Amino acid sequence: MEKINIEKKILRENDKHAFENVMFLTDKKKLCLNMISSPGSGKTTILARTITELKDKLRIGVIEGDIQTDIDAERIRATDAPVIQINTEGACHLSAPQISEALRTLPVDELDMILIENVGNLVCPSAFALGESGKIAVLSVAEGDDKPAKYPAIFAKSKVLLLNKIDLMAGGHVDFDIERATADARRLNKSLEVFPISARTGEGMSDWYDWLVESVRKGVD
Amino acid sequence: MEKINIEKKILRENDKHAFENVMFLTDKKKLCLNMISSPGSGKTTILARTITELKDKLRIGVIEGDIQTDIDAERIRATDAPVIQINTEGACHLSAPQISEALRTLPVDELDMILIENVGNLVCPSAFALGESGKIAVLSVAEGDDKPAKYPAIFAKSKVLLLNKIDLMAGGHVDFDIERATADARRLNKSLEVFPISARTGEGMSDWYDWLVESVRKGVD
């Protein structure tokens, strides 16, 4: 019981900051999306390609969460997008106070939207609200189509599921049943948008871009 | 500070049980390995193939950790190995008390060794000792060769690193520099054994089998 109460207290403290971030972003009328996935599902590649291909339509700022290193932030910096690196020093998720600080540092008024790349972890980040407008789950087809059933929380809470690396399915290098993964994820979350993409080849990315541009226009509900 | 103290207390409680598990396994002279990786790196496929191909040499029991579902335990059961399923109901790692209970249920005296498949998470399970003889890190080449640098804890603490899904590297479907990943991981852990494998095709598995058989013979130090 003590553990549960302590966890509640930590979450309460986090949620106070998350609420402040919601107020800040609402006031500024900025969309902010929190990308969550396992390590190596392709979040940074998706971000870099999205920023580059939408550069005439959307000004995107990035908050990069990593346990250590600034490898990902460097890759984003190469696109010329403003980026803030947060190193969690061992912690398995970003927390709302870290995002508050990053939002104070980013040139928010010059941006249309903010994309947060959370620490690579399919479990813990889904429990910590950051004040985001919505969560984006990323699942690489190399991880297997049983993941929505096995790790339900993030699929239940996301606005969008990006099924990445579909180029690996061509030629049968990877077995992944898109119908099964989509059906399992929609059982948890019937309004989930699912976009099968390859951030490497660009396949399927235009539907994701359309969703992003439309969401910035009207806000995520 | 409070959060840190609480974490220490939870870890202390865990470590008490982990120590009991060490005593139990030492007394029974059984090797027990704790497999840790991201979701979808191929732990269950590695386990199933290892159990099947070593069945005339080693009697292996399995403890399966999952947040929800018994999909993985069913796959292990198909090999006829004894398996205990632990559902963590949302928790992001196995803990030592859960392993104590599983060890009391498994037919340990009839086994040569126990393999634990932890919850799919490259971060949190590395912080919780289970009383295991050693940790086995699994990294799929689809996850990228920057992972030892970005998620150092598990690579620093493991006896073995299995670089899985090397069949995806043939034909250039996945870019992964084995030398880079190995060098980064060995910078953290100079005695780390690294086996590039494909649990799908069987490539490279025999070196891993030799290591396992030898470790059961002499124990992991």
Side-chain angles (χ1 to χ4, degrees), chain A residues 72 142 150-151 165 173 200, chain B residues 72 120 142 150 165 173 200:
Chain A
D72 292 352
K150 290 176 63 186
Y151 300 85
K165 306 196 189 182
H173 309 299
R200 192 185 200 198
Chain B
D72 291 353
K150 290 177 64 186
K165 308 196 189 183
H173 309 300
R200 192 185 200 197

Side-chain angles (χ1 to χ4, degrees), chain B residues 40-53:
Chain B
S41 67
K43 292 186 293 304
T44 317
T45 307
I46 293 169
L47 275 173
R49 187 163 193 138
T50 300
I51 291 165
T52 304
E53 298 197 331

Side-chain angles (χ1 to χ4, degrees), chain B residues 157-208:
Chain B
K157 291 180 181 179
S158 293
K159 297 285 178 191
V160 169
L161 167 58
L162 298 176
L163 292 174
N164 193 27
K165 308 196 189 183
I166 55 169
D167 52 297
L168 293 177
M169 294 171 64
H173 309 300
V174 158
D175 303 316
F176 187 96
D177 183 339
I178 289 182
E179 306 283 315
R180 176 193 173 183
T182 301
D184 282 354
R186 289 231 175 98
R187 206 165 292 130
L188 299 160
N189 178 350
K190 66 179 196 290
S191 62
L192 184 71
E193 300 268 3
V194 181
F195 300 120
I197 62 168
S198 167
R200 192 185 200 197
T201 67
E203 192 182 346
M205 294 292 280
S206 63
D207 289 340
W208 155 242

Side-chain angles (χ1 to χ4, degrees), chain A residues 46-110:
Chain A
I46 294 169
L47 274 174
R49 189 163 192 137
T50 301
I51 291 164
T52 303
E53 298 197 330
L54 284 181
K55 72 172 187 295
D56 296 331
K57 290 185 177 169
L58 292 180
R59 292 157 303 171
I60 301 175
V62 174
I63 300 172
E64 272 296 334
D66 283 289
I67 291 178
Q68 297 205 349
T69 80
D70 61 351
I71 295 172
D72 292 352
E74 283 304 314
R75 289 173 61 194
I76 300 300
R77 228 164 256 138
T79 69
D80 287 332
V83 54
I84 305 291
Q85 172 78 61
I86 299 169
N87 276 145
T88 64
E89 306 297 342
C92 53
H93 60 87
L94 287 173
S95 61
Q98 293 168 325
I99 299 303
S100 306
E101 202 175 321
L103 288 174
R104 281 196 295 270
T105 317
L106 271 179
V108 171
D109 292 324
E110 298 164 23

Side-chain angles (χ1 to χ4, degrees), chain B residues 18-31:
Chain B
F19 183 71
E20 287 168 14
N21 294 344
V22 171
M23 291 294 101
F24 176 85
L25 292 162
T26 306
D27 180 52
K28 299 278 189 187
K29 295 189 175 58
K30 304 296 175 187
L31 190 80

